[in-house]
Amino acid sequence: MAERSDAELLEELLAREQRLVSAYEAALRRDTIDSSLGETLLEHEREHARALEQTLARAGRRNPRASVPSPELTAALRNRRSFARYAIELEDATIAMYVEASARMRDPDLRRPLGSIMACGAAHVVALKNSLGTFLVN
Amino acid sequence: MAPSLTRREALGGAAAALVLASCGGGDPPPSTGPKPGSGAALLGSLLALERASFAAYGACLDVLRGDARAQVHAMRAQERGHAAGLERLISDLGGEPPPGRSAEEYERTFPRLATAADALRFTQHLEERQVRAYLEALTDLPDLELRNAAAGICADEANHLATARVLQGLPAAEGPFVTGAL
């Protein structure tokens, strides 16, 4: 991501948030996540996506198009444990993107809010690990 | 969910603020070497927070048992790793990491931890302070490599914060933006 502009980084993050929204929507439809947990995580991801969209709109950028569901998501929707493991991987990869993007932002005012979304993603991983009964600290 | 703050929580937060303010503010900054504005002084403040948290978790382990103890033990080991990383970054900038305090000096600033609930509440407030400090550092650190390091540690602290909340029966995240919004 060395040469990308702030807007390009934000677009990548938004695409990622949209994947998370799609994943939690699908899991709730298929009852492969506890409904209370799933609705909370979905609400957070929608808020993250909305905030990124608004920031991009202020920069005069259009939102990226939503992607088609991945084969990995389809496979993960077999049961609650497989979905939780899939969601942890997706959240972890998203956290890594936020770590890099929050550090790279040329506009210093965007770094902290991106970091706060990253921190929420880290909390999602803990919630998902708790649903699996696994050790919580990374 | 509207955040609520009980008197006990407020007291725990005040105790954490006192501990971290005293540990962060009392340690001498790196005295020689790095240029003004290099970020070394800010890294020194973060290092003081890490050392204070490491010492505080030692006190927490005295009253924790079972899974909660194992989780806080793991957090404590990570804080030591963060401190070592920050010391290296300060040295790389030409600075000398501040010497820190003895375990006894840190202990004098801690609240009395009588129960596991006290320890977990204290842990939560310490981690909230750390997450906030690293997010502020993300804004202020002048160099990409330093910001990358701060963001990576911040993700670890956010994991610790959520763990402390879950161990108390709270939701892992209080809301979609842990300490700020776009």
Side-chain angles (χ1 to χ4, degrees):
Chain A
M1 292 203 276
E3 302 300 325
R4 291 184 192 156
S5 68
D6 285 0
E8 287 167 334
L9 290 167
L10 292 171
E11 284 170 347
E12 281 195 6
L13 295 173
L14 176 56
R16 201 71 187 193
E17 293 290 354
Q18 288 169 340
R19 264 186 82 179
L20 283 161
V21 167
S22 298
Y24 290 125
E25 284 174 342
L28 283 164
R29 275 198 307 273
R30 298 278 291 269
D31 193 31
T32 50
I33 190 168
D34 169 81
S35 61
S36 173
L37 174 60
E39 282 162 14
T40 299
L41 301 186
L42 175 59
E43 181 198 332
H44 289 175
E45 303 303 355
R46 283 178 171 157
E47 285 294 322
H48 299 164
R50 191 163 23 243
L52 292 167
E53 284 167 1
Q54 288 170 353
T55 306
L56 280 165
R58 283 197 294 271
R61 304 286 284 231
R62 287 189 302 178
N63 296 334
R65 297 180 65 173
S67 58
V68 294
S70 68
E72 292 83 7
L73 172 59
T74 306
L77 290 169
R78 282 193 316 272
N79 58 56
R80 290 189 173 193
R81 293 191 73 79
S82 63
F83 178 75
R85 282 193 289 268
Y86 168 82
I88 287 169
E89 281 187 19
L90 197 56
E91 293 274 11
D92 273 336
T94 306
I95 290 165
M97 289 176 67
Y98 273 102
V99 165
E100 185 166 6
S102 61
R104 283 194 180 279
M105 281 288 135
R106 290 175 179 84
D107 180 352
D109 291 339
L110 290 176
R111 294 177 197 149
R112 180 176 177 146
L114 293 183
S116 82
I117 296 176
M118 173 192 70
C120 183
H124 288 186
V125 171
V126 169
L128 290 160
K129 284 181 172 179
N130 194 45
S131 76
L132 285 171
T134 56
F135 200 72
L136 303 178
V137 176
N138 288 337
Chain B
M1 184 181 70
S4 61
L5 191 67
T6 66
R7 184 172 173 276
R8 284 176 67 83
E9 286 170 335
L11 289 171
L18 180 64
V19 169
L20 296 182
S22 66
C23 293
D27 288 344
S31 54
T32 56
K35 293 176 187 168
S38 68
L42 180 49
L43 294 176
S45 299
L46 296 172
L47 175 58
L49 294 185
E50 292 285 0
R51 287 171 172 164
S53 297
F54 177 82
Y57 294 157
C60 290
L61 291 176
D62 290 342
V63 294
L64 290 171
R65 298 288 177 270
D67 181 53
R69 189 176 194 283
Q71 305 277 359
V72 172
H73 189 270
M75 288 182 206
R76 188 171 188 247
Q78 288 191 352
E79 307 300 15
R80 182 159 51 192
H82 296 159
L86 291 167
E87 286 170 5
R88 279 193 299 275
L89 289 173
I90 292 169
S91 297
D92 290 347
L93 290 169
E96 189 175 327
R101 298 177 174 193
S102 69
E104 292 73 25
E105 284 176 305
Y106 281 121
E107 264 180 41
R108 279 200 292 273
T109 67
F110 297 158
R112 183 169 169 272
L113 302 173
T115 66
D118 291 342
L120 291 174
R121 196 163 36 247
F122 189 42
T123 300
Q124 179 188 338
H125 288 295
L126 289 167
E127 292 296 342
E128 284 170 351
R129 292 275 161 172
Q130 290 213 82
V131 169
R132 197 169 297 125
Y134 279 102
L135 291 179
E136 286 169 7
L138 264 179
T139 302
D140 296 335
L141 285 170
D143 181 78
L144 173 60
E145 185 187 350
L146 300 180
R147 292 198 298 272
N148 253 324
I153 298 176
C154 186
D156 285 344
E157 305 301 355
N159 167 270
H160 297 176
L161 171 58
T163 298
R165 289 178 58 84
V166 166
L167 290 172
Q168 294 173 89
L170 299 169
E174 198 171 359
F177 303 96
V178 171
T179 59
L182 280 169

